[in-house]
Amino acid sequence: MYIGIDLGGTNIAAGLVDESGKILYTKSTPTLASRGYKDVISDMNRLVKEIIEESKVEKNEIKAIGIGIPGLADKDGNVIFCVNLGWENIPLRKMMEEELNIPVFIDNDATVAGLAEYEFGAMKGCESGVLLTLGTGVGGGIVLNGEVYSGAHGVGSEVGHMIVGENFYDCNCGKNGCFETFASSTAIIKYAQKLIKEGNTDTKILELAEGDLEKINAKIIFDCAKEGDKVAKMAVDRLVKYLVIGIFNIVNFMDPEVIALGGGVSNAGEYLLNLVRQEYEKNKFFKTLPAARIELAKFKNDAGILGAAMLGKHGVK
Amino acid sequence: MYIGIDLGGTNIAAGLVDESGKILYTKSTPTLASRGYKDVISDMNRLVKEIIEESKVEKNEIKAIGIGIPGLADKDGNVIFCVNLGWENIPLRKMMEEELNIPVFIDNDATVAGLAEYEFGAMKGCESGVLLTLGTGVGGGIVLNGEVYSGAHGVGSEVGHMIVGENFYDCNCGKNGCFETFASSTAIIKYAQKLIKEGNTDTKILELAEGDLEKINAKIIFDCAKEGDKVAKMAVDRLVKYLVIGIFNIVNFMDPEVIALGGGVSNAGEYLLNLVRQEYEKNKFFKTLPAARIELAKFKNDAGILGAAMLGKHGVK
């Protein structure tokens, strides 16, 4: 058995997971990152101990702990940085292993979610695949030869900052044209707001957002687009166009078996999937060339705990 | 010993190569692709037989034949297509193995050149690296875990068609914004021509091109830039800017140990390398983060034969 920990900016969620990927027991606690890393890590240790105690497993049955972090870790389990948590150069593995005496494995949260899709979801049975987590930003989880791939220095799969064009607003990273400024929920919201501000007011988006531009969210835009709302459709079409550009950048480079779409934007489901597949087919160089399938990710909230547990499983095998 | 074949649009070059990468004997013949694939393949078989005969090796000493092609091949050694040769779905491996009775391995020419750099050049000692061949177009050769990486369907490492921005001219592939429309010799020539046409005539470029815009080449532009020519410097700076954007797209995704710069543009040597390294350092998210080294490729014309031979070596090992 394994314990998977999903370390988020708001909550720490941890779960006991068996070999088959069944989540047997979960616990969570607020992250409260402003306390500093020592208190947060102390809470992660506490969650692990409580799960072991409350679920009545023997400690030696826990073969490994996996952690998905909202940032980057090196091969030795040191957190290089987690911007949202204010962490830099934190020896996370060492601090937890010393306290718990169980092997600890750490990787990026999107990478870990990719592993969940590989083991039990959209990438199951594939040797290679990329999960795109289309949320507030865009993350990537790469599976290659049946293992998570994080690069030579553990800092790969940062697809959100791949530059794919020129955009009307800059990325948080300071650059212009990052993939996540086109293909995230933030991106589609900003673009819909822009269209409305520019006078495209013949739309239900604003009505559903209670007349407040700031209350527009990705779900409202997709719901309107599904109903044929023209402004919403323009915003969705733009997201789809650049999402497929980003997908082709990955496909042309890595040629994986499957690209899985996850994160909040993927809640638009089959509607989004069909648009993306159409745009993808339309833009293929050679229609007959074998190329990655595009699928929806299977897991939503559970991907963090499940993937982290599988990171532990792969780590000790 | 191995035989490496560099199948180009103009010439077929073949060579006998020993385990240590020494090229012992070479032969070449014009490709004359318009004859059709059967005659071209027949000539490749002839070259192999002549090399064996003239170099006085025993045929059974040749463990494998590797071929670098200007296009894509699948895992079974079928050429999916070579646009410049007019080839589509050609069972190249089968046709050569039946004739020669020696194992044949086939991959893209840039991939094969990457293997030469991995075995004996700029990527030596690395587990992962990407060779960028900056020529008329831009190709990529990926090495991962010490092996060439061509993707799940054998069609990966097509970095030239990664979209990195918007450009003033379209790519041959029909799209706008492809990496090779910014970072190839074609790209820098077109941009210099554009600058001059727009009235930036205070430059030595035109003089060195005998007053003929069509005679401008990448070497003239780099030579002028080195001498401080402003127009040439603008063209070089633009190439460097987008080359580094493309490098970051690769680095953020794959995080290799090294990026090697090859192809005709890389003949600008240390001058280009220093500009690229400066731009690369300037644009790092986190200065302290470990990231790929950037180096010049070691091999020029020999990369094709040498890399193809090593493809054969990796194939039979």
Side-chain angles (χ1 to χ4, degrees), chain A residues 80-81 144 149 151-159 161-163 173 175 249 252-255 283 285-286 289, chain B residues 80-81 144 149 151-159 161-163 173 175 249 252-255 283 285-286 289:
Chain A
I80 301 172
F81 61 82
L144 205 59
Y149 179 81
H153 315 91
V155 301
S157 81
E158 282 292 305
V159 296
H161 300 286
M162 166 171 70
I163 288 177
C173 78
K175 293 189 187 176
N249 281 4
N252 286 337
F253 184 73
M254 179 191 158
D255 178 27
N283 282 280
F285 289 127
F286 291 83
L289 209 63
Chain B
I80 301 172
F81 61 82
L144 206 57
Y149 179 82
H153 315 90
V155 301
S157 80
E158 281 293 305
V159 296
H161 300 286
M162 166 171 69
I163 287 177
C173 78
K175 293 191 187 176
N249 281 4
N252 286 338
F253 184 73
M254 178 190 161
D255 179 24
N283 283 280
F285 289 127
F286 291 83
L289 212 62

Side-chain angles (χ1 to χ4, degrees), chain B residues 184-212:
Chain B
S184 62
S185 55
T186 312
I188 194 169
I189 292 165
K190 277 191 191 281
Y191 191 68
Q193 288 169 336
K194 178 178 187 283
L195 288 174
I196 293 167
K197 279 184 201 159
E198 286 171 356
N200 298 285
T201 49
D202 182 19
T203 170
K204 281 205 166 171
I205 293 176
L206 211 47
E207 190 185 317
L208 290 172
E210 301 166 28
D212 183 352

